[in-house]
Amino acid sequence: MRYALLVAYDGTNYGGWQIQKNSITVQQKLEEACKEIFGVKTNITASGRTDSGVHAAGQVCHLDANTSVPAEKLAEVINLRLPQDISVLKTVSAPENFDANRSAKKKTYCYRIYLSPRRNPLKDRYAVWVKTPVDIDKLQYISGVFEGEHDFKAYCKSGSQVKTTIREVYSVKIKTYESYGSVNVEIYVCGAGFLYNMVRTIAGTMLNYAESFLSEEEILRSINEGDREAVGRTMPAKGLTLESVEYGIKLF
């Protein structure tokens, strides 16, 4: 029987989602837990790979298993065998043809920064401290440049092997709020799929524009001509969270 899992994790201590030889990963921990439960090696497929240090609030996975545990109770059984920084929030039975990766229609990531004259250790694990002045209006303005279908080859890590660097971004939205003396900025990027480091580089480029380190002309050139020299910095992984994945059907 096929099951769908909604998973949250703090990526700080992991080398990303996918199993690797030289680091502990989220997929590894989940598959080890499932092997204990089902007695056999269980392959778990996610909606996509998150990089080392990236978090997830709503990662979606699927697995196949024969078990008498009710689908909605499976999350509790798996969580008993997981570390504190990984949790299965929900489990449901899924259609046999459901594929957490190939069936995904939309993914939404959020990049978080906080603007403050001094670093705040309570925010530092999931957001990036920015001390330089940032024009929020400019940040809002430039967000629309990235929406639509574009060739994002300048926003992909050099050497990445993909069939095409063309991606469609459905929306880029900015939310701000104040807390503990800081202005918190959340950059939500929704699309069908993303290149390696793409969201972190979009966030860094937007931020560099809002700090007046990049011009609008440079950013347009980076998109229209693939000019890597006109792209902003790639932001640290800790500020990025996979917020949600949509499939066109109600799973959870």
Side-chain angles (χ1 to χ4, degrees):
M1 187 172 179
R2 181 152 293 187
Y3 298 90
L5 290 67
L6 183 66
V7 183
Y9 49 86
D10 178 332
T12 304
N13 298 321
Y14 299 99
W17 163 263
Q18 190 175 32
I19 288 178
Q20 302 172 32
K21 290 183 179 180
N22 300 318
S23 62
I24 298 171
T25 67
V26 179
Q27 183 184 26
Q28 174 188 336
K29 287 298 185 181
L30 280 166
E31 290 191 356
E32 287 174 353
C34 287
K35 186 175 182 179
E36 285 187 38
I37 296 166
F38 306 127
V40 296
K41 185 180 186 305
T42 303
N43 295 318
I44 299 179
T45 300
S47 67
R49 293 174 289 179
T50 50
D51 299 334
S52 177
V54 174
H55 316 292
Q59 173 70 281
V60 178
C61 315
H62 81 256
L63 62 84
D64 294 324
N66 292 316
T67 177
S68 60
V69 178
E72 67 276 9
K73 296 292 185 181
L74 191 57
E76 297 176 23
V77 177
I78 297 174
N79 284 338
L80 290 173
R81 295 163 174 83
L82 289 176
Q84 292 296 305
D85 49 10
I86 304 173
S87 181
V88 180
L89 304 178
K90 293 182 180 180
T91 45
V92 296
S93 58
E96 289 302 314
N97 64 347
F98 172 76
D99 187 300
N101 180 265
R102 296 179 180 178
S103 301
K105 304 296 184 186
K106 291 182 180 180
K107 297 177 185 177
T108 299
Y109 281 88
C110 179
Y111 199 88
R112 291 177 169 88
I113 64 174
Y114 67 98
L115 313 178
S116 173
R118 295 175 184 84
R119 186 181 63 84
N120 187 330
L122 296 181
K123 298 177 183 293
D124 236 14
R125 198 174 179 94
Y126 307 109
V128 173
W129 173 43
V130 176
K131 187 177 182 179
T132 55
V134 173
D135 187 327
I136 300 298
D137 289 336
K138 290 184 70 174
L139 200 67
Q140 295 275 10
Y141 171 78
I142 205 63
S143 63
V145 168
F146 299 95
E147 295 179 342
E149 186 176 86
H150 303 287
D151 188 340
F152 285 97
K153 64 182 178 182
Y155 290 80
C156 178
K157 184 176 181 180
S158 180
S160 297
Q161 296 181 344
V162 290
K163 292 181 179 179
T164 177
T165 51
I166 295 174
R167 295 291 186 274
E168 183 174 5
V169 174
Y170 300 132
S171 65
V172 181
K173 298 184 183 300
I174 313 296
K175 294 182 180 180
T176 62
Y177 63 96
E178 295 186 18
S179 66
Y180 299 107
S182 302
V183 176
N184 304 281
V185 180
E186 299 178 340
I187 303 172
Y188 290 88
V189 185
C190 176
F194 300 97
L195 300 166
Y196 184 49
N197 281 353
M198 179 176 157
V199 176
R200 288 162 58 190
T201 308
I202 287 176
T205 301
M206 291 174 61
L207 186 59
N208 280 171
Y209 172 76
E211 294 168 317
S212 298
F213 296 147
L214 279 176
S215 68
E216 182 179 358
E217 290 72 22
E218 287 176 302
I219 295 175
L220 290 172
R221 190 167 71 247
S222 73
I223 296 174
N224 297 330
E225 301 176 21
D227 184 357
R228 292 183 183 275
E229 297 299 318
V231 172
R233 64 189 186 271
T234 298
M235 299 294 286
K238 68 176 183 177
L240 186 63
T241 300
L242 173 60
E243 293 289 319
S244 63
V245 187
E246 297 177 48
Y247 291 91
I249 59 172
K250 182 174 175 55
L251 282 171
F252 303 104

